Amino acid sequence: MTVLQDISTFEDIKLLVDTFYDKVQKDDFIGPIFNEKIGHRWPEHLEKMYRFWQTVLLEVHSYSGSPFPPHKHLPIDKEHFDRWMQLFIETNDTLFQGPIAEEAKLRAKNMAEMFNYKINYFRDQGQKGDLLNLK
């Protein structure tokens, strides 16, 4: 039996991100949404994700920016976030074990819940605005 190590280096972050997004790209449910939005910019997106997770998990401040705005108008719902989380947890648990790996899952869960909430909020606000414009 192989003993899994915790996430501790930038190479670990790259392995997590690359393995996870490889699954995302191939997934029948969420893959088409990601592939349409990102298109040919996957290398750029992966680099951004390396920096994001390095900042969040290893406290190496290499990411700056606001992760929510690019997701604001995506045609996604809770089921999409549930699938994203399922793939993330599966990937993380296959590759790593330890406190930072557990922190990664918690951070991903919190982010998915917040993004889902905010997307629904903006969607509802847009529909309310549309209704007001019809009057």
Side-chain angles (χ1 to χ4, degrees):
M1 183 171 112
T2 304
V3 176
L4 298 177
Q5 300 297 314
D6 203 359
I7 299 168
S8 62
T9 67
F10 182 72
E11 290 305 314
D12 293 339
I13 297 288
K14 284 184 71 170
L15 178 61
L16 175 64
V17 168
D18 288 343
T19 306
F20 170 65
Y21 280 107
D22 184 57
K23 290 180 182 184
V24 166
Q25 289 178 63
K26 295 173 183 170
D27 187 75
D28 292 337
F29 188 53
I30 63 173
I33 296 165
F34 274 85
N35 291 322
E36 182 178 323
K37 177 72 174 173
I38 295 172
H40 66 280
R41 297 182 329 273
W42 273 105
E44 173 188 330
H45 181 70
L46 293 174
E47 286 292 329
K48 192 178 292 184
M49 293 300 92
Y50 302 151
R51 292 189 311 274
F52 174 82
W53 285 108
Q54 181 183 35
T55 298
V56 169
L57 298 176
L58 302 180
E59 297 182 15
V60 175
H61 300 287
S62 58
Y63 175 83
S64 63
S66 183
F68 177 70
H71 301 84
K72 184 176 176 178
H73 297 293
L74 290 177
I76 53 179
D77 292 303
K78 184 178 183 320
E79 295 78 21
H80 297 95
F81 285 105
D82 289 346
R83 180 63 180 152
W84 185 89
M85 274 306 303
Q86 180 183 7
L87 292 173
F88 189 87
I89 289 170
E90 175 186 293
T91 303
N92 190 328
D93 287 352
T94 300
L95 298 172
F96 301 103
Q97 181 179 10
I100 297 174
E102 291 302 312
E103 179 73 15
K105 293 187 289 188
L106 177 64
R107 296 292 190 106
K109 177 183 175 288
N110 290 342
M111 187 171 48
E113 289 174 355
M114 179 192 61
F115 278 26
N116 183 54
Y117 174 82
K118 289 176 82 170
I119 286 169
N120 285 322
Y121 174 82
F122 283 111
R123 192 175 291 149
D124 291 346
Q125 292 301 311
Q127 290 171 354
K128 287 177 186 174
D130 292 344
L131 290 174
L132 292 173
N133 289 331
L134 293 174
K135 293 182 179 182

